[in-house]
Amino acid sequence: MASHEARLDSEDGSRPRSSKPCRGGRGGRSACCREVQVSKALSKLLRHQAENAGIKLDEEGFAPLDQALAWGPIKSLAPSLEEIKEVVENNAKKRFTLKPADVSAPDPSSAAGYLIRANQGHSLHVDETALFKPVLLGDADFPDKVVHGTYFAFWGPILESGGLRPMGRGHIHCSDRTPEEGAVSGMRRDAELLVEIDIEGSLRDGVTWWRSDNGVLLTDGGEGGVLGTRYFKMVTSRTVDLGLLWENGVKLADLPGHLKFRPPGGKRGGGGRAKRP
C-alpha cells in the first residue's frame, strides 16, 4: 500500500488535448484541461525524467526551457511560450519557477531565453543548498507547526517502517498549516490523517529541514531516511473523530478495526478494513 503514496504526484495522468476550461475537482473536467496537461508533463520531466531525457539540470534545478519543450510528452502538446508563462503563474501550488537565462535580457522573446525548474517534489538528486532554504532554530520565519498529511491506507505501513519516509521522492513533504488553515502546497487536500511533527526536537537531533520556494517544508528524515515516530507530536484524523492517536512520540490508540478506507485519488485496490498497526 505504501507505494501508492510515492506515486500520487508523479503520475503523468495525461489525457487527450482539450481546450475546455478547468472546472470541477479531481477526476472531473479539470483532468482534461490543457493547462493541467502541460503542468503534469512539466512536473514529470523536471521532477523525475530530466536525466532520462538527456536534459542536464543546473545546480539550482533549472533546465533550458527550449530543451524541456522538445521532450516528447511536452512536444506533443506543443505549448507556446505564453502558455508556459500562464502555467507557471496560475499554478495554485506554485510548482514552477521560470526565469531569463541571461539576467541582462529580462524579457526574452523565445523559449531559448528561459530556464524553468520544479520547486520541489524531485525523485532526481538535487542540491538542497542551491534549491531550498534551510530551516534553522531561531529563524524569524520558523514555522509554528509542521504537519504531514497521509491516509488511513498508509498508516499501518508507516508505523511498521518506524516513521515517515521519502518513498519515491527525495524528501518527506510537509506544510506549516492544514487545508482548513489554507494549506495549498505540501499536503493533499483530501488527506485523512494529520501528523504534526516535533521539528524543534528533530533539528536538535541533527535532522535537516528545508523550505522550498513555494513554501513546502522538506526533510530526508535524517539517519536511515526515516523521520521516526518519536517526532510524532500529535496524530489526529481530519475526517472521523478518533481523538488523539499519538502524542509526544507515544501511541495512544490504534485505528479502529471497523474503519473502512479507500486508497486516495479514487484508486481501487487495497480497500476494505484498515490494517491495525
Side-chain angles (χ1 to χ4, degrees):
M1 291 181 192
S3 61
H4 283 292
E5 189 166 19
R7 294 197 301 266
L8 288 178
D9 285 339
S10 63
E11 291 178 344
D12 184 19
S14 296
R15 301 192 182 202
R17 290 176 61 172
S18 170
S19 59
K20 293 179 180 179
C22 294
R23 297 177 185 171
R26 187 180 307 279
R29 288 189 179 182
S30 63
C32 297
C33 176
R34 177 170 169 78
E35 190 170 300
V36 171
Q37 286 182 283
V38 174
S39 176
K40 286 187 174 184
L42 283 170
S43 289
K44 185 172 184 179
L45 173 66
L46 298 172
R47 290 173 167 181
H48 312 294
Q49 294 295 325
E51 185 175 338
N52 291 338
I55 298 175
K56 182 175 177 58
L57 304 182
D58 70 14
E59 64 178 11
E60 295 183 341
F62 282 97
L65 179 58
D66 57 342
Q67 292 183 27
L69 296 184
W71 184 58
I74 298 177
K75 184 177 180 179
S76 68
L77 296 170
S80 67
L81 176 58
E82 288 307 311
E83 284 183 285
I84 295 297
K85 290 180 178 179
E86 289 175 4
V87 166
V88 172
E89 180 65 26
N90 296 337
N91 187 273
K93 294 192 174 186
K94 302 301 178 187
R95 287 191 171 103
F96 311 106
T97 296
L98 184 71
K99 71 175 185 178
D102 182 353
V103 294
S104 66
D107 190 21
S109 59
S110 71
Y114 285 95
L115 301 174
I116 190 169
R117 78 174 179 196
N119 286 327
Q120 37 74 216
H122 302 80
S123 59
L124 298 168
H125 174 74
V126 294
D127 180 0
E128 289 99 338
T129 60
L131 188 57
F132 308 129
K133 176 187 174 184
V135 177
L136 304 173
L137 291 169
D139 282 348
D141 60 350
F142 192 82
D144 291 331
K145 67 178 176 182
V146 174
V147 187
H148 176 79
T150 188
Y151 300 86
F152 298 141
F154 302 146
W155 188 236
I158 286 171
L159 296 184
E160 288 171 1
S161 68
L164 298 172
R165 294 176 178 268
M167 303 304 294
R169 294 175 166 183
H171 302 89
I172 300 159
H173 287 210
C174 300
S175 177
D176 61 0
R177 66 198 70 187
T178 66
E180 289 78 12
E181 295 166 335
V184 175
S185 299
M187 183 185 304
R188 285 166 60 98
R189 61 179 177 269
D190 59 350
E192 296 168 325
L193 286 170
L194 299 176
V195 183
E196 186 172 344
I197 305 299
D198 177 11
I199 185 174
E200 294 187 28
S202 67
L203 282 167
R204 291 192 183 98
D205 289 345
V207 177
T208 304
W209 285 84
W210 308 89
R211 193 192 301 267
S212 69
D213 277 356
N214 59 338
V216 178
L217 293 159
L218 306 160
T219 181
D220 61 8
E223 186 177 357
V226 181
L227 188 65
T229 56
R230 64 185 178 278
Y231 302 120
F232 288 6
K233 192 173 183 179
M234 186 183 302
V235 180
T236 56
S237 168
R238 288 182 62 224
T239 57
V240 183
D241 184 5
L242 300 178
L244 283 174
L245 299 176
W246 282 68
E247 187 175 28
N248 296 327
V250 177
K251 184 175 77 170
L252 302 181
D254 290 317
L255 291 178
H258 61 79
L259 187 66
K260 294 183 178 181
F261 63 84
R262 289 182 299 176
K267 298 180 185 296
R268 301 300 178 186
R273 295 181 181 272
K275 181 178 180 181
R276 282 185 177 272

